[in-house]
Amino acid sequence: LVSGPNQQVRLTTYRLWSQFHVSSLGPNWRDLARNWDDDARVDFVSEVLHERVDEEVAAFAAEDSNPAVKEAAASGLLWMGSHDALIDVLSSMDAEMAEDVLRRNVDLLPAALRPQFIAAMRRFIDDSTDLRARLATTLTLIEIGEEGLDEAVKDSLAALTSCEFRDLGSHYTEPALAYLRDRDSAWLRQWVVSRVETYLEKIDTTDPDSACAERMLKEMPDLDADSAAHVFVKLREMCRRVDGESG
C-alpha cells in the first residue's frame, strides 16, 4: 500500500498508526524502498521524519539520488529540531540546493546551523539575479537582526523596473522602504525622485512601464516632510523645463 501509485492510499496507510515504524516493512526495508518510485520514496521519508527523528531513514534519504527525497528529509528533520541527522542530509546535497533549503526554512533552523545559514544567505544575495528572491532573502536577514545590508536593499530596489516593483507587492516593498527610511533617507529620497522622473518621461506614451510607474507611485508609502518637499521641488523644476520647451 505504501509503495502503490495512489498517494491518498499511501498517506492514509502511514497515518493509520500514531507512528509508522520502518520495521513493519521487514528487515530489508532499505532494499525494498529503494525500488519504489520517486513519489513513494518522498512520501515515505516525509511521513516518517515529520513524526520523529529516525536516523536510519535520514541516512536512507541522504543516500538517495533524488533531490526531492533529500528535501523531504530535510524538511522533516528541521520540523523535528534535529541537528546531526540534518547535517548529514544537507551534506549529501549540492551546495546550491542545501542553501536553498536553509533559506526557505529560516523559522525552523536549529541554533547550531545559524552561522552556516547566514553565510549561505549572504552568498545567495551576492550571486542571485532573481530580484524578488534576492530582496526577500535580504529582508529575512534583516528580520533576524543581521546588519550591513543597506547596500543589498538599495541594489535590489535600484534594479527593479516600475512593473517589477508593483508585482513584488507590499509584503516586500513596505519593509524595504521602511528600512531605508530609517537607515538612509537621502538615498530613498533620490530613488523616489528618479521614479517620478521616469514616470513623467513616459507619461502619455505607449510604454507599458508608464502605467506601472503610475500605480507604483500611488502605492508607495508616504515620505517624510523633507523628502516630500524635495520631490515637490524636483517636480516643479521639471514642469518649468517642459513649459520652456513647449513655449
Side-chain angles (χ1 to χ4, degrees), residues 24-234:
S24 63
L25 299 175
N28 65 334
W29 66 266
R30 295 175 189 78
D31 294 332
L32 183 68
R34 285 192 189 99
N35 291 318
W36 296 349
D37 66 25
D38 291 346
D39 290 340
R41 298 199 314 283
V42 168
D43 285 344
F44 167 61
V45 166
S46 179
E47 289 297 307
V48 172
L49 295 180
H50 274 88
E51 289 295 330
R52 70 182 189 282
V53 177
D54 188 312
E55 293 185 356
E56 289 186 309
V57 175
F60 170 84
E63 295 170 359
D64 199 290
S65 61
N66 189 323
V69 174
K70 297 178 186 293
E71 184 167 352
S75 175
L77 293 167
L78 281 162
W79 176 257
M80 295 303 298
S82 171
H83 179 202
D84 293 340
L86 176 61
I87 289 291
D88 291 341
V89 172
L90 291 174
S91 298
S92 74
M93 301 176 180
D94 62 53
E96 183 177 354
M97 180 180 179
E99 291 179 5
D100 184 59
V101 169
L102 293 176
R103 183 167 50 84
R104 289 186 287 106
N105 291 278
V106 58
D107 54 328
L108 299 176
L109 197 68
L113 289 179
R114 184 184 175 97
Q116 179 182 347
F117 161 76
I118 291 174
M121 297 274 272
R122 287 186 178 275
R123 283 195 298 272
F124 179 83
I125 292 169
D126 290 340
D127 299 338
S128 178
T129 57
D130 184 333
L131 295 177
R132 177 191 292 268
R134 190 169 185 265
L135 183 58
T137 301
T138 304
L139 293 173
T140 297
L141 285 181
I142 291 171
E143 186 176 340
I144 64 174
E146 284 297 294
E147 296 289 340
L149 293 161
D150 300 25
E151 293 306 315
V153 177
K154 293 175 185 177
D155 290 346
S156 295
L157 289 180
L160 291 168
T161 66
S162 297
C163 287
E164 289 169 338
F165 182 92
R166 177 204 63 186
D167 292 342
L168 275 178
S170 60
H171 177 72
Y172 296 113
T173 58
E174 287 185 5
L177 294 174
Y179 177 79
L180 288 179
R181 184 181 293 115
D182 293 336
R183 295 300 185 102
D184 194 340
S185 60
W187 186 94
L188 180 60
R189 180 188 304 131
Q190 186 55 46
W191 179 80
V192 172
V193 168
S194 70
R195 295 291 167 157
V196 172
E197 290 176 338
T198 298
Y199 169 59
L200 291 179
E201 288 170 359
K202 294 180 177 181
I203 197 168
D204 295 330
T205 72
T206 58
D207 192 322
D209 201 45
S210 175
C212 293
E214 181 177 11
R215 180 174 172 182
M216 182 203 77
L217 292 173
K218 289 179 179 178
E219 294 179 352
M220 189 173 295
D222 294 336
L223 291 172
D224 57 72
D226 288 343
S227 297
H230 187 85
V231 170
F232 176 77
V233 169
K234 191 68 177 181

